[in-house]
Amino acid sequence: MSSNLRRGGGPIKMVRPRRLMDPEGFLTSLGVLSATEADDPVVSDVSDRARSKAAIRAYSAALRAARKVFTTARITSATNRSSELFRVVEELLHPSQGGGASDISATRCSEFTHHFADKVAQIRSDLDAGLDALPGEVAEASVCSILLDSFQLVQPDDVDKILGAVRATTCALDPCLPWLLKQASGGLVDWLIASLGQGKFPSSLKQAVVRPILKKASLGPTNICNYRPISNLPFLGKVLERVVASQLQGFSEDTDFLDQSQSGFRPGFSTKTALVALVDDLRRELDRGSVTLLVLLDISAAFDTIDHGILLGRLSGMGLRGTALQWLQSFLEVRSQMVKLGDTCSDPWPLTCGVPQGSILSPMLFNIYMKPLGEVIRSFGVRCHLYADDTQLYYSFPPKSKEAPRILDQCLAAVLAWMSVNKLRLNPDKTEVLQVSRTSDRGIGWQPVLDGVALPLKAQVRSLGVLLDSGLTLEAQVSTLEAQVAGRAFAQFKLVRQLRPYLEKSDLTMVVHALVTSRLDYCNALYVGLPLKTARKLQLVQRSAARLLTGANYRTRSTPLFKELHWLPFIFRAQFKVQVVTYKALNGLEPTYLGDRISPYEPARSLHSSGEALLSLPPPSQSRLVGTRERAFSVMAPRLWNSLPREIRQAPTLLSFRRSLKTWLFQKAFDGQLLLD
């Protein structure tokens, strides 16, 4: 155990304990917030007044030397961010001895600045130079007849809800802490109304502080090309974005504007639903004896090269007019950003295209921008799923098909043309192709071509965080997940064990969930029906997490540990997820592309089972490959659903369904069932 932790040592850090602050005195010193002009925003008023002597006196009592401690608040804030939790644990047990961020030179900061700016400029230049050689016409979004002329003005209660929903992140451009601004919610109402009513986004909120983030943890940190720019934006700007995003989301749902294959950043849509639908299609085609090519397209700097003129055209075609469209135009234009590393900042540079990564509104605008792509792909009889800039298209065909190469190549050429016209660059070198087929059909004798590059067929690819193989066995995914959790998270467990005497059990539970169970639960609906020898690997990982939480020795079996923690064993957790997805799909809480895969059982004549809320089972005669089709969602979901007691199937709410289902599965798991000890 670290001597610093045992003796209460460690570096001294200046902090502002909230309990010693005087919010009322601070707000009094700020006075009345300006709200007459949208471009004379709260931030300018706060910046000036926060420097006043009265504000300084209000803050001075809050500053004192304090030892760094591992508190419940820090654990809670990092619960859903495992990388942040790793950093907190490491910093606590191995405090740095100085240096670090303060030693970062301005040269490195300037290198990042030029790299990000030059990359976007080069992509745009290459695309402009190649526009003359593009074949054919590109389908565009149709014009919507329903108009949105202006955004609704907010009320004081609305502002309180929005401030509660916006994460209180800090930015170097913020004049004071976000929680203090939340105390001034009443003064923000008039300012928000002024911005929405005038159709103007405050110019002082358009600057972003960019934090270079590694694209993947496995990439080398010394190569500047391995980083992506994540924008850290002023808190007040995010509040204003949240107001517009909620109204724009509601308008897109009312008009049903977005493509159903777009699963990113939409309520009820997620990587989980996209993967369940994708794997279900692949399994059914594999069972039919078809060959399927899954193409994972890679777009270079997708968010950063979006053309503002094209995006505004999409918004106009969506049905936006008046001050609503004017506000969004103001949000996009005349933006700038600067790179910040440690205490060093680069000079700001202007942005003429793109939407900031890290913004609340940007993902929704990106979805609107990409909407026509699904129509282009499906026009060739090719299916697709889109999640932000991850575009997956897949084409199924008989093993000896002679038309398949021509159709798929034409589809990829049309996608390339659409991307180029819309200022997006496909990267053939990073585009991956997976052939899903029987072992005897693996040699189809050709490769799809993208921009003159033959795309090699790979044995496995990573799709939205899940490793898929040619036979859809998921063995590679399970082995990789086991290695990641056991190797990375368990290494952190050695550190966490040192903290056990100083942590409440609830805090330790959150740590274990963030490091282990959240990884095991990610898209575990795909794991139903795994062979026992494969499922055992993840069961052992779950047992190790339970041992850490309970303090049991390594010889303790799973059953008593799971009973004590009220945990479902891994295989039952997967069944739980499938049945919850089924309930949500039947009640309109999941995308229609999942709801269309299951249907209620309707007998031809009146039977006792008519009122049982059962689902139709696909005919067994259609199954060709044992163990392949049975693991498809469209087959597994009805079987698991029909095995539930009627009172659970007919639960009135999702919450009551989840509670009843967990209790029922818990009894089933431990009443005479075989566990993987």
Side-chain angles (χ1 to χ4, degrees):
M1 177 166 176
S2 171
S3 59
N4 283 333
L5 179 64
R6 185 190 303 274
R7 299 173 184 174
I12 301 300
K13 186 177 182 180
M14 299 298 291
V15 298
R16 298 171 178 164
R18 188 176 298 189
R19 61 186 175 82
L20 296 182
M21 287 187 177
D22 181 15
E24 294 182 1
F26 176 70
L27 293 175
T28 300
S29 69
L30 294 182
V32 180
L33 297 178
S34 173
T36 57
E37 293 291 337
D39 208 23
D40 182 21
V42 175
V43 286
S44 299
D45 199 28
V46 171
S47 297
D48 295 338
R49 296 175 184 267
R51 294 188 182 95
S52 67
K53 294 182 179 179
I56 293 174
R57 284 196 301 269
Y59 264 91
S60 61
L63 299 177
R64 68 188 185 100
R67 295 192 182 279
K68 193 172 9 175
V69 294
F70 197 68
T71 62
T72 302
R74 295 196 72 185
I75 298 175
T76 303
S77 65
T79 298
N80 296 321
R81 296 173 294 150
S82 58
S83 60
E84 174 69 11
L85 195 56
F86 293 157
R87 186 185 64 79
V88 169
V89 174
E90 288 280 9
E91 285 183 359
L92 175 63
L93 296 175
H94 304 290
S96 61
Q97 300 300 322
S102 59
D103 295 334
I104 298 176
S105 65
T107 303
R108 184 65 171 170
C109 212
S110 178
E111 289 176 356
F112 274 111
T113 301
H114 290 295
H115 168 71
F116 293 141
D118 294 346
K119 180 179 181 180
V120 173
Q122 185 63 48
I123 291 175
R124 298 274 298 194
S125 176
D126 293 344
L127 292 173
D128 291 339
L131 283 179
D132 296 336
L134 293 177
E137 297 181 355
V138 179
E140 292 295 336
S142 59
V143 176
C144 179
S145 59
I146 303 177
L147 301 180
L148 178 65
D149 289 318
S150 61
F151 294 117
Q152 297 178 3
L153 302 182
V154 295
Q155 302 299 322
D157 292 342
D158 299 329
V159 175
D160 291 336
K161 293 179 181 178
I162 292 167
L163 288 173
V166 177
R167 188 175 164 192
T169 55
T170 58
C171 174
L173 303 176
D174 287 330
C176 61
L177 296 176
W179 73 269
L180 273 174
L181 288 176
K182 289 186 177 185
Q183 299 287 338
S185 59
L188 296 178
V189 176
D190 293 338
W191 174 73
L192 292 172
I193 291 176
S195 175
L196 297 177
Q198 298 173 16
K200 196 172 185 180
F201 188 82
S203 58
S204 57
L205 299 178
K206 293 184 181 182
Q207 191 174 51
V209 177
V210 171
R211 296 173 300 152
I213 302 295
L214 274 176
K215 297 177 181 178
K216 296 180 181 179
S218 58
L219 297 177
T222 58
N223 189 348
I224 202 170
C225 296
N226 294 336
Y227 290 83
R228 62 163 53 95
I230 302 299
S231 298
N232 190 8
L233 300 164
F235 177 74
L236 277 175
K238 291 186 176 181
V239 173
L240 192 49
E241 286 185 55
R242 176 74 68 176
V243 174
V244 173
S246 61
Q247 297 188 35
L248 190 60
Q249 180 67 49
F251 180 73
S252 67
E253 292 175 357
D254 293 340
T255 57
D256 196 23
F257 178 79
L258 294 179
D259 196 301
Q260 281 300 311
S261 65
Q262 291 179 285
S263 297
F265 313 109
R266 301 173 64 183
F269 292 72
S270 64
T271 55
K272 172 200 67 180
T273 59
L275 281 168
V276 168
L278 171 65
V279 175
D280 181 65
D281 287 337
L282 296 179
R283 289 194 187 282
R284 290 193 296 179
E285 292 296 339
L286 180 62
D287 185 72
R288 295 189 185 107
S290 301
V291 175
T292 302
L293 292 186
L294 172 64
V295 184
L296 307 181
L297 300 176
D298 181 82
I299 308 176
S300 300
F303 275 64
D304 301 324
T305 61
I306 285 179
D307 186 86
H308 291 166
I310 297 176
L311 176 56
L312 290 172
R314 297 271 198 279
L315 293 169
S316 178
M318 183 182 179
L320 269 65
R321 300 288 189 276
T323 56
L325 186 61
Q326 183 181 345
W327 189 97
L328 289 167
Q329 182 176 359
S330 175
F331 171 80
L332 293 171
E333 295 178 345
V334 199
R335 302 193 71 94
S336 63
Q337 62 186 27
M338 58 182 180
V339 173
K340 187 175 188 295
L341 299 174
D343 296 328
T344 305
C345 287
S346 69
D347 294 329
W349 77 92
L351 300 176
T352 58
C353 59
V355 290
Q357 298 186 56
S359 162
I360 292 176
L361 195 54
S362 293
M364 189 178 305
L365 295 177
F366 188 82
N367 275 351
I368 295 172
Y369 194 83
M370 297 289 288
K371 194 262 183 184
L373 181 58
E375 302 171 9
V376 174
I377 296 174
R378 287 191 297 271
S379 66
F380 293 89
V382 179
R383 289 172 287 183
C384 64
H385 278 286
L386 291 79
Y387 191 94
D389 59 340
D390 289 319
T391 302
Q392 306 171 95
L393 56 89
Y394 51 105
Y395 182 56
S396 301
F397 51 90
K400 304 300 182 181
S401 174
K402 297 181 180 179
E403 291 294 317
R406 179 184 62 83
I407 294 175
L408 189 55
D409 287 346
Q410 287 181 349
C411 178
L412 291 176
V415 170
L416 177 65
W418 186 91
M419 292 280 188
S420 299
V421 169
N422 288 274
K423 310 300 182 182
L424 299 171
R425 186 174 74 176
L426 281 179
N427 189 348
D429 295 333
K430 293 185 178 180
T431 295
E432 298 181 317
V433 182
L434 174 70
Q435 178 184 337
V436 179
S437 61
R438 302 179 183 182
T439 305
S440 58
D441 298 327
R442 297 284 161 82
I444 57 175
W446 58 275
Q447 296 176 343
V449 177
L450 176 62
D451 196 18
V453 177
L455 305 176
L457 307 182
K458 295 195 171 183
Q460 58 190 33
V461 296
R462 186 172 299 279
S463 173
L464 299 178
V466 173
L467 204 60
L468 302 178
D469 56 82
S470 298
L472 299 179
T473 63
L474 293 183
E475 290 183 359
Q477 164 66 12
V478 170
S479 298
T480 303
L481 180 62
E482 179 196 22
Q484 287 179 343
V485 175
R488 186 178 180 187
F490 286 177
Q492 302 298 326
F493 281 174
K494 296 178 181 178
L495 304 178
V496 176
R497 286 191 183 96
Q498 301 178 32
L499 300 175
R500 185 185 287 127
Y502 304 92
L503 293 178
E504 297 290 339
K505 187 173 182 179
S506 59
D507 301 336
L508 190 60
T509 301
M510 285 191 288
V511 172
V512 171
H513 173 71
L515 299 184
V516 178
T517 57
S518 61
R519 294 167 179 256
L520 295 179
D521 288 344
Y522 176 69
C523 219
N524 59 353
L526 302 179
Y527 299 143
V528 174
L530 282 176
L532 291 180
K533 66 176 183 178
T534 304
R536 177 180 172 82
K537 298 178 181 179
L538 299 181
Q539 182 82 28
L540 294 176
V541 173
Q542 187 186 15
R543 185 180 69 174
S544 299
R547 287 205 314 263
L548 171 68
L549 193 56
T550 59
N553 61 57
Y554 72 95
R555 294 181 179 176
T556 306
R557 297 176 66 85
S558 302
T559 303
L561 296 179
F562 292 166
K563 281 186 176 181
E564 178 183 347
L565 297 172
H566 205 69
W567 282 5
L568 287 172
F570 173 78
I571 55 177
F572 290 96
R573 293 176 78 96
Q575 293 180 20
F576 177 85
K577 181 61 69 68
V578 170
Q579 289 163 326
V580 169
V581 171
T582 304
Y583 180 91
K584 294 170 71 174
L586 291 173
N587 290 275
L589 302 176
E590 294 281 33
T592 55
Y593 59 68
L594 284 185
D596 293 342
R597 298 167 191 272
I598 53 179
S599 58
Y601 172 65
E602 298 178 356
R605 55 191 178 87
S606 180
L607 300 173
H608 289 294
S609 58
S610 300
E612 297 288 326
L614 299 173
L615 295 178
S616 296
L617 292 171
S621 59
Q622 295 181 2
S623 179
R624 300 182 184 181
L625 300 180
V626 177
T628 299
R629 182 172 179 268
E630 284 75 4
R631 289 176 57 189
F633 173 80
S634 55
V635 178
M636 182 65 69
R639 290 182 178 175
L640 292 176
W641 180 264
N642 292 348
S643 67
L644 295 176
R646 181 178 64 177
E647 58 272 16
I648 297 181
R649 294 196 300 267
Q650 297 178 337
T653 64
L654 177 61
L655 180 60
S656 61
F657 175 79
R658 292 172 65 96
R659 288 176 176 174
S660 301
L661 176 61
K662 183 176 181 179
T663 301
W664 184 77
L665 287 175
F666 194 81
Q667 294 174 350
K668 181 180 178 182
F670 296 109
D671 290 350
Q673 296 292 327
L674 176 64
L675 293 183
L676 302 177
D677 287 314

